[in-house]
Coordinates of all heavy atoms in Angstrom, one line a residue:
M17 N 147.6 84.2 111.2 CA 147.7 84.2 112.7 C 149.1 84.5 113.2 O 149.6 83.9 114.1 CB 147.2 82.9 113.2 CG 145.8 82.5 112.8 SD 144.6 82.9 114.0 CE 145.1 81.8 115.3
Y18 N 149.7 85.5 112.6 CA 151.1 85.8 112.9 C 151.1 86.5 114.3 O 152.2 86.4 115.0 CB 151.7 86.7 111.9 CG 151.8 86.1 110.6 CD1 151.1 86.6 109.5 CD2 152.6 85.0 110.4 CE1 151.2 86.0 108.2 CE2 152.8 84.4 109.1 CZ 152.0 84.9 108.1 OH 152.1 84.3 106.8
H19 N 150.1 87.1 114.8 CA 150.1 87.8 116.0 C 149.2 87.1 117.1 O 148.8 87.7 118.1 CB 149.6 89.2 115.8 CG 150.5 90.0 114.9 ND1 151.8 90.4 115.2 CD2 150.3 90.4 113.6 CE1 152.3 91.0 114.2 NE2 151.4 91.0 113.2
K20 N 148.9 85.8 116.9 CA 148.0 85.1 117.8 C 148.5 85.3 119.3 O 147.7 85.6 120.2 CB 148.0 83.7 117.5 CG 147.2 82.8 118.5 CD 147.3 81.3 118.1 CE 146.6 80.5 119.1 NZ 146.6 79.1 118.8
Y21 N 149.7 85.0 119.6 CA 150.2 85.0 121.0 C 150.3 86.5 121.5 O 150.0 86.7 122.7 CB 151.5 84.3 121.1 CG 151.4 82.9 120.7 CD1 151.9 82.4 119.4 CD2 150.7 82.0 121.5 CE1 151.7 81.1 119.1 CE2 150.5 80.7 121.1 CZ 151.0 80.2 119.9 OH 150.8 78.9 119.5
D22 N 150.5 87.4 120.7 CA 150.5 88.8 121.1 C 149.1 89.2 121.6 O 148.9 89.8 122.6 CB 150.9 89.8 120.0 CG 152.3 89.6 119.6 OD1 153.1 89.1 120.4 OD2 152.7 90.0 118.4
V23 N 148.1 88.8 120.8 CA 146.7 89.1 121.1 C 146.3 88.5 122.4 O 145.7 89.1 123.3 CB 145.7 88.7 120.0 CG1 144.3 88.8 120.4 CG2 146.0 89.5 118.7
L24 N 146.7 87.2 122.6 CA 146.3 86.5 123.8 C 147.0 87.1 125.0 O 146.3 87.2 126.1 CB 146.7 85.0 123.7 CG 145.9 84.2 122.6 CD1 146.4 82.8 122.5 CD2 144.4 84.2 122.9
L25 N 148.2 87.5 124.9 CA 148.9 88.1 126.0 C 148.4 89.5 126.3 O 148.1 89.8 127.5 CB 150.4 88.2 125.7 CG 151.2 86.9 125.8 CD1 152.6 87.1 125.3 CD2 151.2 86.4 127.3
Y26 N 148.2 90.3 125.3 CA 147.7 91.7 125.5 C 146.2 91.6 126.1 O 145.9 92.5 126.9 CB 147.7 92.5 124.2 CG 149.1 92.8 123.7 CD1 149.3 93.0 122.4 CD2 150.2 92.8 124.5 CE1 150.5 93.3 121.9 CE2 151.5 93.0 124.0 CZ 151.6 93.3 122.7 OH 152.9 93.6 122.2
A27 N 145.4 90.7 125.6 CA 144.0 90.7 126.1 C 143.9 90.4 127.6 O 142.9 90.8 128.2 CB 143.3 89.6 125.3
D28 N 144.9 89.8 128.2 CA 144.9 89.5 129.6 C 145.5 90.6 130.4 O 145.6 90.5 131.7 CB 145.6 88.2 129.9 CG 144.7 87.0 129.6 OD1 143.5 87.1 129.6 OD2 145.3 85.9 129.2
N29 N 146.0 91.6 129.8 CA 146.6 92.8 130.5 C 145.7 93.9 130.5 O 145.4 94.5 129.4 CB 148.0 93.1 129.8 CG 148.7 94.2 130.5 OD1 148.2 95.2 130.9 ND2 150.0 94.0 130.7
K30 N 145.3 94.4 131.6 CA 144.3 95.5 131.7 C 144.7 96.7 130.9 O 143.8 97.5 130.4 CB 143.9 95.8 133.1 CG 145.0 96.4 133.9 CD 144.5 96.8 135.3 CE 145.7 97.4 136.1 NZ 145.3 98.4 137.0
D31 N 146.0 97.0 130.9 CA 146.5 98.2 130.2 C 146.6 98.0 128.7 O 146.8 99.0 128.0 CB 147.8 98.7 130.8 CG 147.7 99.0 132.3 OD1 146.6 99.6 132.6 OD2 148.6 98.7 133.0
L32 N 146.6 96.8 128.2 CA 146.9 96.5 126.8 C 145.7 95.9 126.1 O 145.8 95.4 124.9 CB 148.1 95.6 126.6 CG 149.4 96.3 127.2 CD1 150.5 95.2 127.1 CD2 149.8 97.5 126.4
K33 N 144.6 95.8 126.7 CA 143.4 95.1 126.1 C 143.0 95.7 124.8 O 142.6 95.0 123.9 CB 142.2 95.0 127.1 CG 142.4 94.1 128.2 CD 141.1 93.9 129.0 CE 140.8 95.1 129.8 NZ 139.7 94.8 130.7
S34 N 143.0 97.0 124.7 CA 142.6 97.7 123.5 C 143.6 97.4 122.4 O 143.2 97.4 121.2 CB 142.4 99.2 123.7 OG 143.6 99.8 124.1
K35 N 144.9 97.3 122.7 CA 145.9 96.9 121.7 C 145.6 95.5 121.2 O 145.8 95.3 120.0 CB 147.3 97.0 122.4 CG 148.4 96.8 121.4 CD 149.7 97.0 122.0 CE 150.8 96.9 121.0 NZ 152.1 97.2 121.5
A36 N 145.2 94.6 122.0 CA 144.8 93.3 121.5 C 143.7 93.3 120.5 O 143.7 92.7 119.5 CB 144.4 92.4 122.7
L37 N 142.7 94.2 120.8 CA 141.6 94.3 119.9 C 142.0 94.9 118.5 O 141.6 94.4 117.5 CB 140.5 95.3 120.5 CG 139.2 95.4 119.8 CD1 138.6 94.1 119.6 CD2 138.3 96.3 120.6
N38 N 142.9 95.9 118.5 CA 143.4 96.4 117.3 C 144.2 95.4 116.5 O 144.1 95.3 115.3 CB 144.3 97.6 117.6 CG 143.5 98.8 118.1 OD1 142.4 99.0 117.8 ND2 144.2 99.7 118.9
I39 N 145.1 94.6 117.1 CA 145.9 93.6 116.4 C 145.0 92.5 115.9 O 145.1 92.0 114.8 CB 146.9 93.0 117.4 CG1 148.0 94.1 117.7 CG2 147.6 91.8 116.7 CD1 148.9 93.7 118.8
A40 N 144.0 92.1 116.7 CA 143.0 91.1 116.2 C 142.2 91.5 115.0 O 142.0 90.8 114.0 CB 142.1 90.7 117.3
A41 N 141.8 92.8 115.0 CA 141.1 93.4 113.8 C 142.0 93.4 112.6 O 141.6 93.1 111.5 CB 140.6 94.8 114.2
Q42 N 143.3 93.7 112.8 CA 144.3 93.6 111.7 C 144.4 92.2 111.1 O 144.5 92.0 109.9 CB 145.6 94.2 112.2 CG 146.7 94.1 111.1 CD 148.1 94.5 111.7 OE1 148.2 95.0 112.8 NE2 149.1 94.2 110.9
E43 N 144.5 91.3 112.0 CA 144.5 89.8 111.6 C 143.4 89.5 110.7 O 143.5 88.8 109.7 CB 144.6 88.9 112.8 CG 145.9 88.8 113.5 CD 147.0 88.1 112.7 OE1 146.7 87.1 112.1 OE2 148.1 88.6 112.6
V44 N 142.2 89.9 111.1 CA 141.0 89.6 110.3 C 141.0 90.2 109.0 O 140.7 89.6 108.0 CB 139.7 90.0 111.1 CG1 138.5 90.0 110.2 CG2 139.5 89.1 112.3
R45 N 141.5 91.5 108.9 CA 141.6 92.2 107.6 C 142.6 91.4 106.7 O 142.4 91.3 105.5 CB 142.1 93.6 107.8 CG 141.0 94.5 108.3 CD 141.4 96.0 108.2 NE 142.6 96.3 109.0 CZ 142.6 96.6 110.3 NH1 141.5 96.6 111.0 NH2 143.8 96.9 110.9
E46 N 143.7 90.9 107.3 CA 144.7 90.3 106.5 C 144.4 88.8 106.2 O 144.8 88.3 105.1 CB 146.1 90.4 107.2 CG 146.6 91.8 107.3 CD 147.8 92.0 108.1 OE1 148.4 91.0 108.6 OE2 148.3 93.2 108.2
R47 N 143.8 88.1 107.1 CA 143.5 86.7 107.0 C 142.2 86.4 107.6 O 142.1 86.0 108.8 CB 144.6 85.9 107.7 CG 145.9 85.8 106.9 CD 147.0 85.3 107.8 NE 147.4 86.3 108.8 CZ 148.1 87.4 108.6 NH1 148.4 87.7 107.4 NH2 148.4 88.2 109.6
P48 N 141.1 86.7 106.9 CA 139.7 86.5 107.4 C 139.3 85.0 107.6 O 138.5 84.5 106.8 CB 138.8 87.2 106.5 CG 139.6 87.2 105.2 CD 141.0 87.2 105.5
T49 N 140.0 84.3 108.5 CA 139.7 82.9 108.7 C 138.9 82.8 110.0 O 138.8 83.7 110.8 CB 141.0 82.1 108.9 OG1 141.7 82.5 110.0 CG2 141.9 82.2 107.7
A50 N 138.3 81.6 110.3 CA 137.6 81.4 111.5 C 138.5 81.6 112.7 O 138.1 82.1 113.8 CB 137.0 80.0 111.5
Q51 N 139.8 81.2 112.6 CA 140.7 81.3 113.7 C 141.0 82.8 114.0 O 141.1 83.2 115.2 CB 142.0 80.6 113.4 CG 141.9 79.1 113.3 CD 141.3 78.6 112.0 OE1 141.1 79.3 111.1 NE2 141.2 77.3 111.9
S52 N 141.1 83.6 113.0 CA 141.3 85.0 113.2 C 140.1 85.7 113.8 O 140.2 86.5 114.7 CB 141.6 85.7 111.8 OG 142.9 85.3 111.3
Y53 N 138.9 85.3 113.3 CA 137.7 85.8 113.9 C 137.5 85.4 115.4 O 137.0 86.1 116.2 CB 136.4 85.4 113.1 CG 136.2 86.3 111.9 CD1 136.5 85.9 110.7 CD2 135.7 87.6 112.1 CE1 136.3 86.7 109.6 CE2 135.5 88.4 111.0 CZ 135.8 88.0 109.8 OH 135.6 88.8 108.7
D54 N 138.0 84.2 115.7 CA 138.0 83.7 117.1 C 138.8 84.6 118.0 O 138.4 85.0 119.1 CB 138.4 82.3 117.2 CG 138.4 81.7 118.6 OD1 137.3 81.7 119.1 OD2 139.4 81.4 119.1
L55 N 140.0 85.0 117.5 CA 140.8 86.0 118.2 C 140.2 87.3 118.4 O 140.2 87.9 119.5 CB 142.2 86.2 117.5 CG 143.3 85.2 117.7 CD1 144.5 85.6 116.8 CD2 143.7 85.1 119.1
L56 N 139.5 87.8 117.4 CA 138.8 89.0 117.5 C 137.6 89.0 118.5 O 137.5 89.9 119.3 CB 138.2 89.4 116.1 CG 137.5 90.8 116.0 CD1 138.4 91.9 116.4 CD2 136.9 91.0 114.6
A57 N 136.9 87.9 118.5 CA 135.8 87.7 119.4 C 136.4 87.6 120.9 O 135.8 88.2 121.8 CB 135.1 86.4 119.1
W58 N 137.5 86.9 121.0 CA 138.1 86.9 122.4 C 138.6 88.3 122.8 O 138.4 88.6 124.0 CB 139.3 85.9 122.3 CG 140.0 85.8 123.6 CD1 141.3 86.1 123.8 CD2 139.5 85.3 124.8 NE1 141.7 85.8 125.1 CE2 140.6 85.3 125.8 CE3 138.3 84.8 125.2 CZ2 140.4 84.9 127.1 CZ3 138.1 84.4 126.5 CH2 139.2 84.4 127.4
S59 N 139.1 89.0 121.9 CA 139.5 90.4 122.3 C 138.3 91.3 122.7 O 138.4 92.0 123.6 CB 140.3 91.0 121.1 OG 141.4 90.3 120.8
Y60 N 137.2 91.2 121.9 CA 136.0 91.9 122.3 C 135.5 91.4 123.7 O 135.2 92.3 124.5 CB 134.9 91.7 121.3 CG 135.0 92.7 120.2 CD1 135.2 92.3 118.9 CD2 134.7 94.1 120.4 CE1 135.3 93.2 117.8 CE2 134.8 95.0 119.3 CZ 135.1 94.5 118.1 OH 135.1 95.4 117.0
F61 N 135.5 90.1 123.9 CA 135.1 89.6 125.2 C 136.0 90.2 126.3 O 135.4 90.6 127.4 CB 135.2 88.1 125.2 CG 134.9 87.4 126.5 CD1 133.6 87.3 126.9 CD2 135.9 87.0 127.3 CE1 133.3 86.7 128.1 CE2 135.6 86.4 128.5 CZ 134.3 86.2 128.9
K62 N 137.3 90.1 126.2 CA 138.2 90.6 127.2 C 138.1 92.2 127.4 O 138.4 92.7 128.4 CB 139.6 90.3 126.9 CG 139.9 88.8 126.9 CD 139.6 88.2 128.3 CE 140.8 88.3 129.2 NZ 140.8 87.6 130.4
N63 N 137.5 92.9 126.4 CA 137.3 94.3 126.5 C 135.9 94.6 127.0 O 135.5 95.8 127.0 CB 137.6 95.0 125.2 CG 139.0 95.3 125.0 OD1 139.5 96.3 125.4 ND2 139.7 94.4 124.3
G64 N 135.2 93.6 127.5 CA 133.9 93.8 128.1 C 132.7 93.9 127.1 O 131.6 94.1 127.5
Q65 N 133.0 93.6 125.8 CA 131.9 93.7 124.8 C 131.5 92.3 124.5 O 131.7 91.8 123.4 CB 132.5 94.4 123.6 CG 132.9 95.9 123.9 CD 133.4 96.6 122.6 OE1 132.8 96.4 121.6 NE2 134.4 97.4 122.8
I66 N 130.8 91.7 125.4 CA 130.4 90.3 125.4 C 129.4 90.0 124.2 O 129.5 89.0 123.5 CB 129.9 89.8 126.7 CG1 131.0 89.9 127.7 CG2 129.4 88.4 126.7 CD1 130.6 89.8 129.2
K67 N 128.5 90.9 124.1 CA 127.5 90.7 123.0 C 128.1 90.7 121.6 O 127.8 89.9 120.8 CB 126.4 91.8 123.1 CG 125.2 91.6 122.3 CD 124.1 92.6 122.6 CE 122.8 92.2 122.0 NZ 121.7 93.1 122.4
R68 N 129.0 91.7 121.4 CA 129.7 91.7 120.1 C 130.6 90.5 119.9 O 130.6 89.9 118.8 CB 130.6 93.0 120.1 CG 131.4 93.2 118.8 CD 130.5 93.5 117.7 NE 131.2 93.7 116.5 CZ 131.0 93.1 115.3 NH1 129.9 92.4 115.1 NH2 131.8 93.4 114.3
A69 N 131.2 90.0 121.0 CA 132.0 88.8 120.9 C 131.2 87.6 120.5 O 131.6 86.8 119.6 CB 132.7 88.5 122.2
L70 N 130.0 87.5 121.1 CA 129.1 86.4 120.7 C 128.6 86.5 119.3 O 128.5 85.5 118.6 CB 127.9 86.4 121.7 CG 126.9 85.2 121.5 CD1 127.6 83.9 121.7 CD2 125.8 85.3 122.5
E71 N 128.3 87.7 118.8 CA 127.8 87.9 117.4 C 128.9 87.4 116.5 O 128.6 86.7 115.5 CB 127.5 89.4 117.2 CG 126.3 89.9 117.9 CD 126.2 91.4 117.8 OE1 127.1 92.1 117.3 OE2 125.2 91.9 118.3
I72 N 130.1 87.8 116.7 CA 131.2 87.4 115.8 C 131.4 85.9 115.8 O 131.6 85.3 114.8 CB 132.6 88.1 116.2 CG1 132.5 89.6 115.9 CG2 133.8 87.5 115.5 CD1 133.6 90.5 116.5
T73 N 131.4 85.3 117.0 CA 131.5 83.9 117.1 C 130.4 83.1 116.4 O 130.7 82.2 115.6 CB 131.5 83.5 118.6 OG1 132.6 84.1 119.3 CG2 131.7 82.0 118.8
E74 N 129.2 83.6 116.5 CA 128.1 82.9 115.9 C 128.2 83.1 114.3 O 127.8 82.1 113.6 CB 126.8 83.4 116.4 CG 126.5 83.0 117.8 CD 125.2 83.6 118.4 OE1 124.7 84.6 117.9 OE2 124.7 83.0 119.3
K75 N 128.6 84.2 113.9 CA 128.6 84.5 112.5 C 129.8 84.0 111.7 O 129.7 83.5 110.6 CB 128.5 86.0 112.2 CG 128.3 86.4 110.8 CD 128.0 87.9 110.6 CE 127.8 88.2 109.2 NZ 127.5 89.6 109.0
F76 N 131.0 84.0 112.4 CA 132.2 83.7 111.6 C 133.0 82.5 112.2 O 134.0 82.1 111.5 CB 133.1 84.9 111.7 CG 132.6 86.1 111.0 CD1 132.1 87.2 111.7 CD2 132.5 86.2 109.6 CE1 131.6 88.3 111.1 CE2 132.0 87.3 109.0 CZ 131.5 88.4 109.7
V77 N 132.6 82.0 113.3 CA 133.5 80.9 113.9 C 132.7 79.6 113.9 O 133.2 78.6 113.4 CB 134.0 81.2 115.3 CG1 134.8 80.1 115.8 CG2 134.8 82.5 115.2
L78 N 131.5 79.6 114.5 CA 130.8 78.3 114.7 C 130.4 77.7 113.3 O 129.9 78.4 112.4 CB 129.5 78.6 115.5 CG 129.7 79.0 117.0 CD1 128.4 79.2 117.7 CD2 130.5 77.9 117.7
N79 N 130.7 76.5 113.2 CA 130.4 75.7 111.9 C 131.2 76.2 110.7 O 130.8 76.0 109.6 CB 128.9 75.7 111.6 CG 128.1 75.1 112.7 OD1 128.5 74.0 113.2 ND2 127.0 75.7 113.1
K80 N 132.3 77.0 111.0 CA 133.1 77.5 109.9 C 134.5 76.8 109.8 O 135.3 77.1 109.0 CB 133.3 79.0 110.0 CG 132.1 79.8 110.1 CD 131.3 79.8 108.8 CE 130.1 80.7 109.0 NZ 129.1 80.5 108.1
T81 N 134.8 75.9 110.8 CA 136.0 75.3 110.8 C 135.9 73.9 111.4 O 134.9 73.6 112.2 CB 137.1 76.1 111.7 OG1 138.3 75.4 111.6 CG2 136.6 76.3 113.1
Y82 N 136.8 73.0 111.1 CA 136.8 71.7 111.7 C 137.8 71.6 112.8 O 138.0 70.5 113.4 CB 137.1 70.6 110.6 CG 135.9 70.5 109.6 CD1 136.0 71.1 108.4 CD2 134.8 69.9 110.0 CE1 135.0 71.0 107.5 CE2 133.7 69.8 109.1 CZ 133.8 70.4 107.9 OH 132.8 70.3 107.0
E83 N 138.5 72.7 113.1 CA 139.5 72.7 114.2 C 138.8 72.5 115.5 O 138.0 73.4 115.9 CB 140.3 74.0 114.1 CG 141.4 74.0 115.1 CD 142.3 75.2 115.0 OE1 142.4 75.8 114.0 OE2 142.9 75.5 116.0
P84 N 139.0 71.5 116.2 CA 138.3 71.2 117.5 C 138.4 72.3 118.5 O 137.4 72.6 119.2 CB 138.9 69.9 118.0 CG 139.6 69.3 116.9 CD 140.0 70.4 115.9
K85 N 139.5 73.0 118.6 CA 139.7 74.0 119.6 C 138.7 75.1 119.5 O 138.3 75.7 120.5 CB 141.1 74.5 119.6 CG 141.4 75.5 120.7 CD 142.8 75.9 120.7 CE 143.1 77.0 121.7 NZ 143.5 76.5 123.0
R86 N 138.2 75.5 118.3 CA 137.3 76.5 118.1 C 135.9 76.2 118.6 O 135.1 77.1 118.9 CB 137.2 76.9 116.6 CG 138.5 77.4 116.0 CD 139.0 78.6 116.7 NE 140.4 78.7 116.5 CZ 141.3 78.8 117.4 NH1 140.9 78.9 118.7 NH2 142.5 78.9 117.2
Y87 N 135.6 74.9 118.8 CA 134.3 74.5 119.3 C 134.3 74.4 120.8 O 133.3 74.3 121.4 CB 133.9 73.2 118.7 CG 133.6 73.3 117.2 CD1 134.4 72.8 116.3 CD2 132.4 74.0 116.8 CE1 134.1 72.9 114.9 CE2 132.1 74.1 115.5 CZ 133.0 73.6 114.6 OH 132.7 73.8 113.2
Y88 N 135.5 74.5 121.4 CA 135.6 74.5 122.8 C 135.9 75.9 123.3 O 137.0 76.3 123.3 CB 136.7 73.5 123.3 CG 136.9 73.5 124.8 CD1 135.9 73.0 125.6 CD2 138.0 74.1 125.4 CE1 136.1 73.0 127.0 CE2 138.2 74.2 126.7 CZ 137.2 73.6 127.5 OH 137.4 73.7 128.9
M89 N 134.8 76.6 123.6 CA 135.0 78.0 123.9 C 134.4 78.4 125.2 O 133.4 79.1 125.2 CB 134.5 78.9 122.8 CG 135.2 78.6 121.5 SD 134.7 79.7 120.1 CE 132.9 79.6 120.2
P90 N 134.9 77.9 126.3 CA 134.3 78.2 127.6 C 134.4 79.7 127.9 O 133.7 80.2 128.8 CB 135.0 77.4 128.6 CG 136.4 77.2 127.9 CD 136.1 77.1 126.4
H91 N 135.4 80.4 127.3 CA 135.6 81.8 127.5 C 134.5 82.7 127.0 O 134.4 83.8 127.4 CB 136.9 82.3 127.0 CG 137.1 82.0 125.5 ND1 137.7 80.8 125.0 CD2 136.8 82.7 124.4 CE1 137.7 80.9 123.7 NE2 137.2 82.0 123.3
I92 N 133.6 82.2 126.2 CA 132.5 83.0 125.7 C 131.2 82.5 126.2 O 130.3 83.2 126.6 CB 132.5 83.1 124.2 CG1 133.7 83.9 123.7 CG2 131.2 83.7 123.6 CD1 133.8 84.1 122.2
F93 N 131.0 81.2 126.3 CA 129.7 80.6 126.8 C 129.8 80.3 128.2 O 130.1 79.7 128.9 CB 129.4 79.4 125.9 CG 129.3 79.7 124.5 CD1 130.3 79.4 123.6 CD2 128.2 80.5 124.0 CE1 130.2 79.7 122.3 CE2 128.1 80.8 122.7 CZ 129.1 80.4 121.8

């Protein structure tokens, strides 16, 4: 999760949302953890691909970590 904050900042910028998605995808390739997949799902959500974000969350995040923050996801639900 070396680029976590970059992804979060870029995802909120209308001109850099696609960059956030690319960085999040790189994170998943390098460290396929529930936290990395959560960033990827958030990036898809911010890029308007809500269905894809939900698919990733259900498959790779929910029930895959004990980190409480991952279970509190008002940004997707």
Side-chain angles (χ1 to χ4, degrees):
M17 300 262 297
Y18 297 113
H19 300 287
K20 173 184 178 180
Y21 298 106
D22 294 338
V23 171
L24 295 175
L25 285 172
Y26 293 156
D28 283 332
N29 183 313
K30 66 177 181 148
D31 298 323
L32 299 173
K33 288 191 286 188
S34 62
K35 187 173 183 176
L37 188 55
N38 290 334
I39 294 171
Q42 177 186 348
E43 282 290 316
V44 167
R45 285 191 301 274
E46 294 174 1
R47 286 165 291 287
T49 65
Q51 292 82 0
S52 295
Y53 278 106
D54 182 63
L55 276 180
L56 183 61
W58 179 242
S59 297
Y60 273 114
F61 175 79
K62 294 299 275 190
N63 276 278
Q65 298 182 40
I66 298 168
K67 191 173 192 175
R68 180 69 177 132
L70 183 58
E71 289 170 356
I72 290 170
T73 300
E74 290 176 339
K75 186 171 182 180
F76 297 106
V77 180
L78 295 179
N79 299 318
K80 305 292 184 197
T81 182
Y82 292 103
E83 186 176 334
K85 186 173 174 91
R86 299 300 155 235
Y87 290 108
Y88 176 71
M89 298 184 313
H91 55 270
I92 293 183
F93 300 106

